[in-house]
């Protein structure tokens, strides 16, 4: 599982100018089963995406296709973790620690 943390690197006006494209990209990745949750940080200086079901190379490719990345309005921090405990609704994403 991955936590994708976006930090805006430009004024919000530039971010908002391509927000619709970013939301469409999010929808595509939800439909592909890659994303579990996403939203703005508070205060609004970026966002967070929870992703699962793929390897790091795939996550890096997907992040590189984000319109925010392509427009240079944010930087991503990708954190991979092993989800050994989850809420019941996320049980299918529960993982075992490697031996």
């Amino acid at each position: 599982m991955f936590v994708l943390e976006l930090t805006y690197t430009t004024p919000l006006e530039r971010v908002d100018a391509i927000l619709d494209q970013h939301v469409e990209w999010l929808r595509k990745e939800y439909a592909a089963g890659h994303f579990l949750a996403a939203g703005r940080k508070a205060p609004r200086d970026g966002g967070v995406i929870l992703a699962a079901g793929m390897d790091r190379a795939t996550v890096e490719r997907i992040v590189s296709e984000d319109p925010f990345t392509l427009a240079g309005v944010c930087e991503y921090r990708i954190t991979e973790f092993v989800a050994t405990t989850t809420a019941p609704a996320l049980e299918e994403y529960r993982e075992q620690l490697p031996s």
Side-chain angles (χ1 to χ4, degrees):
M1 192 168 289
F2 297 87
V3 176
L4 313 178
E5 182 181 2
L6 297 77
T7 301
Y8 299 141
T9 58
T10 63
L12 286 177
E13 295 79 23
R14 287 202 48 214
V15 172
D16 287 341
I18 56 171
L19 184 59
D20 289 344
Q21 295 169 49
H22 173 74
V23 170
E24 186 57 36
W25 169 82
L26 286 169
R27 287 185 183 129
K28 182 183 107 187
E29 298 306 329
Y30 276 115
H34 296 149
F35 292 170
L36 303 177
R40 293 177 178 174
K41 291 193 288 186
R44 188 179 174 207
D45 61 359
V48 175
I49 301 168
L50 186 59
M54 60 197 136
D55 61 22
R56 187 174 190 94
T58 302
V59 170
E60 290 173 353
R61 178 188 53 78
I62 289 168
V63 164
S64 75
E65 297 170 352
D66 179 357
F68 280 178
T69 300
L70 296 172
V73 301
C74 80
E75 292 180 350
Y76 270 91
R77 177 178 174 204
I78 301 171
T79 304
E80 185 172 3
F81 72 102
V82 180
T84 55
T85 59
T86 65
L90 296 175
E91 188 172 326
E92 70 181 277
Y93 299 101
R94 196 170 297 156
E95 302 172 283
Q96 297 294 317
L97 289 173
S99 304

